[in-house]
Amino acid sequence: MTDLRTLLEAGADATGQADETADLARLTAALSSRALLEGTLDVRHRTIDSPVGPLLVAATPRGVARVAFAHEGFDAVVDDLARRLGPRVLPAGSTLDDVARELDDFFAGRRDHFEVAADLALAQGFRRDVLDRLREIPYGATRSYAGVAAAAGSPGAVRAVGTACATNPVPILVPCHRVVRSDGTSGAYRGGAEAKQWLLAMESAAATPADRHTGP
């Protein structure tokens, strides 16, 4: 028979570890909030549950700079952000609650646009131009890669548009999922084909008839 004292001691150890974990989380959140106020934080991040799987959301003082899907490896994404945007990186605590709320509303079909700012520092040159064009695609609508290339002023740059969509640092907020192939099939997506199809179906179901116009 297992000794009762052993069980009690094990329970106490587990409780102590849980308390230490909670204390560390509170301390980290406080440090993140203070660093944000003092302007000494380069990037803050948190994970968010969603219908397309867990998401990592990371923001600079200028806005959301990265939305990553689980298969990208969150630790690798955070390391990359530290290299590219600055080494002062901390978990966000409650400082990204506004982003989480808007994403929750979007996934529930209650929101057709985002009000939180996006920091597109990770996109440069033509890729940045493409992201600006993506923001013009209405909720519930789609555009072809060729149509986006024409809108960006480079009709022959269809492949480059595909690359810009595939490397979009802030998918969902900047809706690269609304770009499809000329034959109407969904095409590739940073979050995976199933995630793209889910997003398109969700928007189609939630959009008004006026929203659903699909252009070239």
Side-chain angles (χ1 to χ4, degrees):
M1 177 181 290
T2 303
D3 181 59
L4 179 58
R5 177 174 294 179
T6 301
L7 289 174
L8 291 173
E9 288 175 351
D13 287 343
T15 301
Q17 291 172 2
D19 289 343
E20 288 179 5
T21 300
D23 288 343
L24 180 60
R26 285 192 290 270
L27 176 60
T28 302
L31 288 172
S32 182
S33 297
R34 179 175 178 179
L36 182 63
L37 289 172
E38 294 175 348
T40 59
L41 187 63
D42 294 315
V43 180
R44 62 196 193 279
H45 61 87
R46 66 172 288 180
T47 55
I48 296 171
D49 291 329
S50 85
V52 293
L55 300 173
L56 176 82
V57 179
T60 69
R62 296 174 296 278
V64 178
R66 191 73 165 87
V67 176
F69 296 89
H71 66 82
E72 297 181 72
F74 291 162
D75 289 342
V77 170
V78 171
D79 288 345
D80 182 65
L81 292 171
R83 287 192 298 270
R84 300 175 67 185
L85 297 179
R88 297 171 298 184
V89 179
L90 284 172
S94 62
T95 65
L96 288 177
D97 282 356
D98 55 341
V99 182
R101 282 192 295 269
E102 290 197 13
L103 284 168
D104 285 345
D105 286 346
F106 171 78
F107 289 126
R110 297 189 298 266
R111 171 177 290 276
D112 61 8
H113 69 284
F114 291 95
E115 297 176 6
V116 292
D119 179 359
L120 300 181
L122 296 175
Q124 304 294 330
F126 183 69
R127 293 184 185 183
R128 173 65 179 268
D129 294 339
V130 170
L131 299 190
D132 289 337
R133 300 289 80 77
L134 298 184
R135 291 167 135 180
E136 298 171 357
I137 305 175
Y139 180 87
T142 59
R143 297 289 184 270
S144 69
Y145 292 98
V148 173
S154 299
V158 177
R159 186 181 297 273
V161 168
T163 299
C165 290
T167 58
N168 175 12
V170 282
I172 302 174
L173 270 67
V174 174
C176 55
H177 61 274
R178 296 175 190 160
V179 184
V180 299
R181 294 171 177 156
S182 296
D183 63 3
T185 56
S186 62
Y189 184 55
R190 188 165 199 167
E194 289 185 4
K196 184 171 187 176
Q197 291 164 6
W198 187 92
L199 290 165
L200 289 172
M202 181 275 293
E203 288 193 8
S204 179
T208 66
D211 292 328
R212 295 192 189 103
H213 170 70
T214 297

Coordinates of all heavy atoms in Angstrom, one line a residue, residues 66 82 87 128 130 144-145 156-157 176 194 198 203:
R66 N 3.7 39.9 -35.8 CA 3.7 38.5 -36.2 C 2.5 37.8 -35.7 O 2.1 37.9 -34.6 CB 5.0 37.9 -35.7 CG 5.3 36.5 -36.2 CD 5.9 36.6 -37.6 NE 6.5 35.3 -38.0 CZ 5.8 34.2 -38.5 NH1 4.5 34.3 -38.6 NH2 6.5 33.2 -38.8
A82 N 13.5 38.0 -32.0 CA 14.5 38.6 -31.2 C 15.7 39.0 -32.1 O 16.4 40.0 -31.9 CB 15.0 37.6 -30.1
P87 N 16.3 42.2 -29.1 CA 16.5 41.1 -28.2 C 15.6 41.2 -26.9 O 15.5 40.3 -26.2 CB 17.9 41.2 -27.8 CG 18.3 42.7 -27.9 CD 17.5 43.2 -29.1
R128 N 5.9 44.3 -49.3 CA 5.1 45.2 -48.5 C 4.0 45.8 -49.3 O 2.9 46.0 -48.8 CB 6.1 46.3 -47.9 CG 5.4 47.5 -47.2 CD 4.7 47.1 -45.9 NE 4.1 48.2 -45.3 CZ 4.7 48.9 -44.3 NH1 5.9 48.6 -44.0 NH2 4.1 49.9 -43.8
V130 N 2.4 44.4 -51.7 CA 1.4 43.4 -51.8 C 0.5 43.4 -50.6 O -0.7 43.3 -50.7 CB 2.0 42.0 -52.1 CG1 1.0 40.9 -52.0 CG2 2.7 42.0 -53.5
S144 N -7.7 37.1 -57.2 CA -6.7 36.1 -57.7 C -5.3 36.7 -57.5 O -5.1 37.9 -57.3 CB -6.9 35.9 -59.2 OG -6.6 37.1 -59.9
Y145 N -4.3 35.8 -57.5 CA -2.9 36.3 -57.4 C -2.6 37.3 -58.6 O -1.9 38.3 -58.4 CB -2.0 35.1 -57.5 CG -2.0 34.2 -56.3 CD1 -2.8 33.0 -56.3 CD2 -1.4 34.5 -55.1 CE1 -2.9 32.2 -55.2 CE2 -1.4 33.7 -54.0 CZ -2.2 32.5 -54.1 OH -2.3 31.7 -53.0
G156 N 2.9 41.3 -64.2 CA 3.6 40.1 -64.4 C 4.2 39.4 -63.2 O 4.8 38.3 -63.3
A157 N 4.0 40.0 -62.1 CA 4.6 39.5 -60.8 C 3.7 38.5 -60.0 O 3.7 38.6 -58.8 CB 5.1 40.6 -60.0
C176 N -4.3 37.5 -46.3 CA -3.7 36.8 -47.5 C -4.6 35.5 -47.8 O -4.5 35.0 -48.9 CB -2.3 36.4 -47.3 SG -1.9 35.4 -45.8
E194 N -6.1 23.5 -44.9 CA -7.4 23.4 -44.2 C -7.7 24.7 -43.5 O -8.9 25.1 -43.4 CB -7.3 22.3 -43.1 CG -7.2 20.9 -43.8 CD -7.3 19.8 -42.7 OE1 -7.4 20.1 -41.5 OE2 -7.2 18.6 -43.1
W198 N -11.1 26.9 -44.1 CA -12.0 27.2 -43.0 C -12.2 28.7 -42.9 O -13.4 29.2 -42.8 CB -11.4 26.8 -41.7 CG -12.3 26.9 -40.5 CD1 -13.2 26.0 -40.0 CD2 -12.5 28.1 -39.7 NE1 -13.9 26.5 -39.0 CE2 -13.5 27.8 -38.8 CE3 -11.9 29.4 -39.7 CZ2 -14.0 28.8 -37.8 CZ3 -12.4 30.3 -38.8 CH2 -13.4 30.0 -37.9
E203 N -15.9 33.3 -43.5 CA -16.2 34.6 -44.0 C -17.4 34.6 -45.0 O -18.3 35.5 -44.9 CB -15.0 35.2 -44.7 CG -13.9 35.7 -43.7 CD -12.9 36.6 -44.3 OE1 -13.1 37.0 -45.5 OE2 -11.8 36.8 -43.7

